[in-house]
């Protein structure tokens, strides 16, 4: 499974739901949603600042991530962004690969 960071901002509709259900209620609902695509919630935090909500999740593949994004986005309660997270070992593997590249103008 791959790790993803979900960053979300509540819409007006989403804030009304949060006020009704509370943070724990939304955690249960989002955990159920992530588990529904075969994933697992590792962490969930509300925050002040650029984003209202952060989740770190394990998902089986890109298709699951896309399905999750589409379902949450279509509901209209959250403006969601998903970022693929890389382990240090994955970066080590990438650094070890030889890539031929010519910069523009060279």
């Amino acid at each position: 499974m791959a790790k993803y960071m979900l960053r979300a901002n509540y819409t007006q509709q989403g804030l009304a739901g949060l006020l009704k259900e509370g943070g724990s209620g939304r955690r249960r609902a989002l955990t159920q949603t992530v588990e529904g695509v075969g994933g697992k919630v590792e962490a969930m935090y509300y925050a002040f600042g650029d984003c209202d909500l952060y989740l770190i999740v394990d998902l089986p593949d890109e298709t699951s991530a896309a399905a999750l994004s589409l379902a949450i986005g279509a509901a209209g309660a959250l403006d969601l962004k998903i970022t693929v997270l890389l382990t240090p070992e994955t970066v080590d593997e990438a650094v070890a690969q030889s890539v031929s590249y010519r910069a523009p103008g060279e």
Side-chain angles (χ1 to χ4, degrees):
M1 283 217 240
K3 288 214 184 291
Y4 295 83
M5 176 176 56
L6 285 64
R7 294 171 292 144
N9 285 308
Y10 279 97
T11 64
Q12 184 176 8
Q13 171 190 348
L15 285 172
L18 176 62
L19 288 171
K20 181 178 179 182
E21 294 183 41
S24 297
R26 293 311 308 151
R27 179 176 54 207
R28 282 189 296 277
L30 288 166
T31 297
Q32 185 177 37
T33 299
V34 170
E35 289 174 351
V37 296
K40 181 179 180 232
V41 174
E42 180 179 305
M44 177 176 162
Y45 294 97
Y46 288 95
F48 296 122
D50 294 337
C51 291
D52 298 326
L53 177 66
Y54 291 90
L55 286 99
I56 304 296
V57 301
D58 291 312
L59 295 173
D61 51 38
E62 293 173 343
T63 303
S64 300
L68 190 65
S69 179
L70 290 167
I72 292 172
L78 292 172
D79 176 24
L80 182 70
K81 292 179 177 50
I82 298 182
T83 302
V84 179
L85 300 176
L86 304 174
T87 65
E89 294 77 17
T90 300
V91 173
D92 290 345
E93 290 175 21
V95 168
Q97 288 188 4
S98 177
V99 177
S100 176
Y101 173 72
R102 181 186 63 78
E106 289 185 4

